[in-house]
Structures are given as structure tokens and as C-alpha cells.
């Protein structure tokens, strides 16, 4: 466990590096696709603001009895941060910013590879500072020293699932597929981001089994309850698009150059 790297908090440092990596990928892809409207800055700002707000406040409603939850001020100051909440907030922020600024082009194809790489980098901070996962007998289990074990309430010497490493590998693989292949394919507007959301939702649901988060209902954690409702809806949308023939030609061998200004929706 590395709470700091030099003078910097480890977690915050990698979150910042992840945001920087995402920004670089976003700009490169925006230029390639011909997104040059200055209102795109407003869209990115909306994503950042919405993501920041919901990342902190997304874990507020933990109890049906509202009196049992922290106040919004306490939640903002001391509450846990939620990646899923941040993603929902960023999605809402993009749509609000588009409505306010009047920007109409689809931007999901810009966000999909950017978010994948950004989360891969940001999750390194989680891996180095947070409880890795549940006990495992697998050879790549992480063993904490006595001080870290006591701080996190883990049995000393126990091998733990590196749950954040599983997510890092997933995001790196997805980024490679998006950046090296799918962004050059004739993917219908709106689908790259939708595919990424569906894939991450499924993987996150599985990884939650070894994350060690609090079980709140029928063996499921809070993130799993959220994903159990939302992921089937996204998969249903993909299935309907597939049945309608929207993906015809996407997986053909012959590459098709991108259409200028035609990104995918968030």
C-alpha cells in the first residue's frame, strides 16, 4: 500500500494522470473525426463537472430511511467516491452541456477510448491505496504487510484478489480494441460508447464478487444492484440494434474510413 508517492497522494495523482490521458485521447480523436466546434469544450466541461459531482454524491443514498444517510455536506466532505456514480454524472453532464450550448454532434466515439484509457490509469491509484479484494488461493494474490492489514481490517498474510488489476487489464484490452480496430470500422453513431458501457457493466458485476464490498441484499453489493437494473437495458438496446441490422459491415475485413463529424452518442 502506497498512500503517497513523493509529495503527492497516490490515489489523487493517478486520477489526475488518468484524466490527462483521457484528455489527450479525446483531443486526438476529435481532430481525426473533424470535431472542431469550440462548443465541444462546454461538452467536456459538462462531463467533468457532472462526473465530479456524482462521483462524490453517488454513494449518498445508502439507506431507504433518509435520516440514516449522511447530510449532503458530510457526504461531500467525507463520503466514498463511486466510479459508477461518476460515469452516470458525466453522461448527464454531457447531455446538459449539449442542450445548453446547442452542440448537436454525437460525441460518444470520442469519449469511449478516452474513458477506457483514463480508467485504466486511474485504477492504478486504487490498486496501490485501497483494499484489494477478497481472500484467494490464486498465485497472483496480493499480501499486505501487518500495518496495511490492520488498517484495512484484513487478516495478516492473507492473499487477496487484486480486483483493481482485473479492471485495469479489462480497460487496457478495451482501449486497444477501440483505438486499434473499432474506431476505424463503420460502427453506427452511438454504439462505441454503448458497447463500452455494456462490457464494463458486465465485467464490473463479476469483479464485485471478489471486491469485498458490503453485501446489502441477497448476496449482492450496491454496485451490483445498480448494474443488475441498468446493464440488461443496455444489452437489450444492443440486441435490438443487432436484430435491426444496424451492425451490418462492422465486422467485415475491409476497413471503412470514418465520416467527418460523425461520432457516437453518449
Amino acid at each position: 500500500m502506497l498512500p503517497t508517492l513523493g509529495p503527492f497522494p497516490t490515489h489523487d495523482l493517478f486520477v489526475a494522470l488518468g484524466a490527462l490521458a483521457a484528455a489527450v485521447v479525446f483531443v486526438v480523436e476529435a481532430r481525426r473525426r473533424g470535431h472542431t466546434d469550440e462548443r465541444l469544450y462546454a461538452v467536456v466541461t459538462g462531463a467533468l463537472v457532472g462526473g465530479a459531482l456524482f462521483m462524490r454524491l453517488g454513494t449518498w443514498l445508502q439507506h431507504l430511511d433518509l435520516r440514516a444517510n449522511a447530510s449532503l455536506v458530510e457526504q461531500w466532505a467525507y463520503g466514498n467516491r463511486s466510479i459508477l456514480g461518476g460515469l452516470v454524472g458525466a453522461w448527464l453532464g454531457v447531455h446538459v452541456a449539449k442542450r445548453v450550448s446547442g452542440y448537436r454532434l454525437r460525441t460518444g466515439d470520442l469519449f469511449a477510448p478516452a474513458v477506457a484509457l483514463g480508467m485504466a490509469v486511474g485504477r492504478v491509484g486504487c490498486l496501490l491505496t485501497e483494499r484489494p479484494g477478497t481472500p484467494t488461493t490464486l498465485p497472483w494474490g496480493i499480501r499486505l504487510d501487518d500495518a496495511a492489514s490492520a488498517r484495512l481490517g484484513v487478516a495478516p498474510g492473507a492473499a487477496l484478489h487484486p480486483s483493481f488489476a482485473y479492471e485495469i487489464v479489462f480497460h487496457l484490452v478495451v482501449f486497444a480494441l477501440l483505438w486499434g480496430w473499432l474506431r476505424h470500422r463503420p460502427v453506427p453513431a452511438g454504439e462505441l460508447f454503448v458497447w463500452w458501457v455494456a462490457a464494463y457493466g458486465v465485467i464490473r458485476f463479476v469483479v464485485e464478487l471478489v471486491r469485498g464490498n458490503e453485501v446489502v441484499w441477497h448476496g449482492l453489493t450496491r454496485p451490483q444492484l445498480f448494474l443488475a437494473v441498468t446493464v440488461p437495458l443496455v444489452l437489450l438496446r444492443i440486441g435490438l440494434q443487432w436484430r435491426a441490422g444496424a451492425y451490418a459491415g462492422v465486422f467485415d475485413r475491409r476497413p471503412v474510413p470514418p465520416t467527418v463529424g460523425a461520432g457516437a452518442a453518449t
Side-chain angles (χ1 to χ4, degrees):
M1 307 298 288
L2 297 173
T4 60
L5 285 176
F8 304 105
T10 302
H11 188 276
D12 294 344
L13 174 62
F14 278 95
V15 169
L17 291 175
L20 178 61
V24 171
V25 170
F26 186 93
V27 170
V28 170
E29 187 64 356
R31 290 178 176 176
R32 189 183 76 89
R33 290 180 177 270
H35 290 253
T36 57
D37 194 315
E38 291 186 354
R39 290 176 295 178
L40 190 60
Y41 292 112
V43 175
V44 174
T45 300
L48 293 174
V49 172
L53 288 174
F54 278 72
M55 180 177 289
R56 179 63 79 178
L57 299 179
T59 58
W60 171 71
L61 188 60
Q62 298 188 21
H63 307 282
L64 294 179
D65 184 353
L66 298 182
R67 295 170 298 178
N69 297 305
S71 69
L72 291 179
V73 173
E74 292 172 332
Q75 179 67 25
W76 182 260
Y78 309 110
N80 294 327
R81 283 169 287 191
S82 167
I83 288 293
L84 295 177
L87 290 173
V88 172
W91 179 80
L92 290 173
V94 166
H95 282 279
V96 171
K98 283 186 173 182
R99 179 61 62 89
V100 172
S101 67
Y103 191 79
R104 293 292 179 261
L105 292 181
R106 304 290 181 93
T107 54
D109 282 344
L110 311 180
F111 280 107
V115 173
L117 183 60
M119 288 190 64
V121 176
R123 277 306 199 193
V124 174
C126 300
L127 180 65
L128 296 177
T129 60
E130 299 182 28
R131 175 175 175 167
T134 57
T136 180
T137 58
L138 295 172
W140 55 77
I142 295 177
R143 299 181 187 275
L144 306 179
D145 60 28
D146 292 343
S149 297
R151 186 172 66 252
L152 298 175
V154 177
L160 306 174
H161 276 286
S163 61
F164 295 112
Y166 301 153
E167 284 198 43
I168 292 169
V169 171
F170 164 77
H171 287 302
L172 289 176
V173 170
V174 169
F175 173 73
L177 289 174
L178 289 171
W179 195 253
W181 179 42
L182 285 175
R183 73 187 183 122
H184 303 292
R185 309 303 304 178
V187 180
E191 296 309 292
L192 277 189
F193 191 80
V194 173
W195 291 357
W196 178 84
V197 168
Y200 178 56
V202 172
I203 290 297
R204 177 60 189 273
F205 188 95
V206 174
V207 170
E208 276 292 309
L209 298 174
V210 297
R211 274 282 296 271
N213 284 332
E214 179 186 6
V215 173
V216 295
W217 188 74
H218 288 268
L220 300 177
T221 64
R222 289 185 179 89
Q224 285 177 316
L225 291 175
F226 173 78
L227 293 169
V229 174
T230 55
V231 171
L233 296 177
V234 179
L235 292 176
L236 176 62
R237 181 191 184 284
I238 293 174
L240 291 175
Q241 288 285 85
W242 187 286
R243 184 175 180 180
Y247 304 143
V250 172
F251 302 107
D252 292 346
R253 292 185 178 183
R254 181 172 55 87
V256 177
T259 301
V260 174
T266 58

